[in-house]
Amino acid sequence: MKPTPVCCFGEVLIDFLQDKAQPGLFHRFAGGAPANVAVAVAKLGGQSKFIGMLGKDMFGDFLQQELQSYGVDCSAVRQTMDAKTALAFVALNEQGDRSFSFYRPPAADLLYKVEHCPADLWQDKGILHLCSNSLTEPEIAQTSFALVRLAQQHGWLVSVDANLRHNLWSEGKASRELVIQLLEMADLVKLSEDELEYLADGQSTESWLPHILAFRPTWLVVTAGANEVQSYSKTDWFSVPVSSVPVLDTTAAGDAFVGAWLNQVAMQLTQGLNFADVLNHKELRQQIIEKAIRAGSLTCQKYGAFAALPTAQEWD
């Protein structure tokens, strides 16, 4: 049986990470949340594909080479002369937490259209993953929703990590309406505790989450840094503890968690289970989250994004 692919759509960019010893010095790393997830899946031994647009420039060439070097299928990646590859400057505080300064828009990743997808993209059922950064401009939001509808028409699962970056939105804050619209179309949803609070907009967790869970056969997880991960479905709720680890850089920890989470769901689908079987198996979902937490914890102990994501050998 063919392995179930995890196909990640959205931004891939250059993270210029601040040097702690010399704050004026920045080091170049490949990054971007959906790209990080694609690499996380590949490094853990899964089949992953990246869908997105790069600038036809030195940074775009570097990013495509980096993705391919980790085993990510780039057949759905396109390059353009119409915009440059996006850049992000990342500053770290003493706890390894980040603040971002983005050079986007304009950026090449915002120019991807449905017609850029290969004709055979949907021939094997898989998981489509994306985040809210592909909703920040009208054209890329249109592409995002169109890809989600195509995935659903072909029997794919849809995964959404809210990954709110308010400074990417022209209003200075994410559109709750657009982000919630995307969450309502997803089978797998990952939120941070802060994102949950923002999107709920004053409502309690108990009253807001059932609204999202009502739309699809959803598995929703809420992370809170070093605190417990909460898991919600239509039928149950449980929490999983997070072990304390020395933290150097949290840059791709959430993406490592998502990549490990989706990789394990994909493995279950490859082995013959359907998503309803996974949702009905609480012990299996607990084990999946425990391993996703381990992937995130390992990533926190290294600098960078792609390079910091764990291999299958480190993870097991």
Side-chain angles (χ1 to χ4, degrees):
M1 182 177 286
K2 280 187 175 182
T4 301
V6 177
C7 298
C8 302
F9 169 68
E11 78 275 13
V12 56
L13 48 79
I14 301 293
D15 283 332
F16 283 102
L17 187 62
Q18 187 178 44
D19 190 305
K20 277 193 168 184
Q22 302 179 68
L25 179 64
F26 290 81
H27 302 282
R28 180 185 71 171
F29 292 93
N36 291 340
V37 172
V39 172
V41 171
K43 290 182 74 172
L44 294 174
Q47 181 177 332
S48 72
K49 178 177 290 190
F50 186 73
I51 307 167
M53 184 72 75
L54 292 165
K56 203 168 184 61
D57 51 39
M58 69 173 72
F59 291 134
D61 293 341
F62 167 74
L63 289 170
Q64 180 150 336
Q65 290 165 8
E66 284 288 284
L67 287 166
Q68 291 173 330
S69 73
Y70 288 106
V72 176
D73 181 341
C74 290
S75 59
V77 172
R78 300 292 180 262
Q79 288 186 276
T80 180
M81 295 288 290
D82 294 334
K84 298 294 185 182
T85 302
L87 309 178
F89 288 81
V90 187
L92 299 174
N93 64 17
E94 291 301 318
Q95 290 74 44
D97 291 324
R98 306 150 295 158
S99 60
F100 293 89
S101 179
F102 290 100
Y103 283 66
R104 173 186 185 264
D109 64 279
L110 299 171
L111 302 182
Y112 201 88
K113 307 290 185 187
V114 172
E115 53 265 32
H116 293 134
C117 291
D120 62 353
L121 178 65
W122 311 106
Q123 68 179 10
D124 298 316
K125 287 186 180 180
I127 301 172
L128 176 69
H129 174 72
L130 65 164
C131 68
S132 69
N133 295 340
S134 60
L135 302 178
T136 56
E137 301 291 329
E139 293 80 8
I140 197 64
Q142 183 178 353
T143 298
S144 299
F145 285 114
L147 288 175
V148 168
R149 288 190 290 270
L150 280 168
Q152 291 173 337
Q153 289 167 16
H154 288 84
W156 285 43
L157 295 178
V158 174
S159 162
V160 174
D161 176 5
N163 194 42
L164 300 181
R165 296 287 179 261
H166 295 286
N167 54 347
L168 286 177
W169 297 74
S170 59
E171 300 84 0
K173 60 181 180 179
S175 164
R176 289 187 180 90
E177 181 182 51
L178 270 182
V179 176
I180 291 171
Q181 183 182 343
L182 186 61
L183 298 183
E184 290 171 351
M185 300 174 77
D187 302 284
L188 299 120
V189 173
K190 186 261 183 188
L191 303 173
S192 70
E193 194 172 53
D194 292 344
E195 290 165 348
L196 173 58
E197 181 179 350
Y198 177 78
L199 294 171
D201 195 22
Q203 294 184 59
S204 68
T205 299
E206 292 74 17
S207 61
W208 188 80
L209 284 177
H211 167 81
I212 299 299
L213 293 167
F215 282 85
R216 303 281 297 176
T218 310
W219 182 7
L220 188 152
V221 298
V222 180
T223 61
N227 297 322
E228 293 181 332
V229 173
Q230 312 295 325
S231 169
Y232 300 88
S233 73
K234 284 183 170 67
T235 58
D236 62 35
W237 164 84
F238 60 86
S239 61
V240 181
V242 175
S243 299
S244 177
V245 297
V247 175
L248 289 179
D249 175 14
T250 61
T251 296
D255 303 324
F257 177 98
V258 173
W261 183 35
L262 297 182
N263 182 53
Q264 291 174 91
V265 172
M267 287 169 58
Q268 298 302 321
L269 299 179
T270 299
Q271 292 167 12
L273 292 184
N274 59 41
F275 190 51
D277 296 327
V278 176
L279 291 177
N280 289 330
H281 198 323
K282 182 178 179 180
E283 184 177 316
L284 173 61
R285 283 183 288 126
Q286 287 177 315
Q287 292 170 355
I288 287 173
I289 289 180
E290 286 169 359
K291 294 197 76 174
I293 289 170
R294 174 162 171 74
S297 297
L298 288 166
T299 303
C300 284
Q301 298 174 63
K302 298 179 182 178
Y303 287 111
F306 289 9
L309 297 164
T311 63
Q313 292 73 25
E314 293 169 324
W315 184 51
D316 287 336

